[in-house]
Structures are given as structure tokens and as C-alpha cells.
């Protein structure tokens, strides 16, 4: 999930630089901007933000699961007690 969201983020950033390099994604620019360019920049900005959020959440989940695994491995109470077998 992390790799997929990173790829989508990179693609959206690349498309924004390729298609609408000098367009502000909000309609408050000094000069008039074409409506299609503003809408495209807004859509690409939204995709970038969503992909970045998914990447951050998946990274937090991944790191949290690794930490949980390591804490369980290091915790003495998580280890099963040895059961002695009769001779």
C-alpha cells in the first residue's frame, strides 16, 4: 500500500508539473487563469494530498506492527514457559 501510494503521489506531482506548471489550484491568482487549468490543478492537488495521507498512514501502521512484534519478542511474559517432561 505504501509503494502504491508513493507511485500515485509521484505520478500526480509529475502530471501537475507537466500539465499545469504555473497554475494556482485555488482561483485567486494575479492574472486570469483558464478554468480547465484551475480545475486540473485542483484535482491533481487533491490526488497528491490523498496519496500522501495514505502513505503516511500505511507507514505508521507498518512501523507500529514492527514495534509490536519486537516488543512481544523481547517481553519475558510473552515467552512460553518451558514445560518439563517426565523421564
Amino acid at each position: 500500500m505504501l509503494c502504491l501510494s508513493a507511485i500515485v503521489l509521484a505520478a500526480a506531482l509529475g502530471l501537475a508539473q507537466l500539465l499545469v506548471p504555473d497554475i494556482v489550484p485555488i482561483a485567486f491568482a494575479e492574472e486570469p487563469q483558464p478554468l480547465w487549468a484551475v480545475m486540473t490543478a485542483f484535482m491533481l492537488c487533491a490526488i497528491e494530498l490523498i496519496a500522501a495521507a495514505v502513505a503516511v498512514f500505511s507507514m505508521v501502521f507498518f512501523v507500529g506492527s514492527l514495534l509490536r512484534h519486537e516488543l512481544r519478542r523481547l517481553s519475558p511474559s510473552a515467552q512460553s514457559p518451558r514445560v518439563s517432561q517426565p523421564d
Side-chain angles (χ1 to χ4, degrees), residues 37-79:
V38 173
M39 292 175 69
T40 303
F42 182 79
M43 180 192 67
L44 289 172
C45 183
I47 291 172
E48 291 168 10
L49 291 174
I50 291 170
V54 170
V56 167
F57 289 143
S58 61
M59 180 62 97
V60 166
F61 179 76
F62 177 69
V63 169
S65 65
L66 282 177
L67 285 174
R68 182 177 179 195
H69 176 70
E70 286 299 315
L71 287 175
R72 280 190 176 177
R73 188 177 65 86
L74 295 175
S75 175
S77 63
Q79 296 176 354

Side-chain angles (χ1 to χ4, degrees), residues 8-22:
V8 170
L9 177 62
L13 283 170
L15 279 174
Q17 289 297 321
L18 181 68
L19 297 176
V20 285
D22 296 329

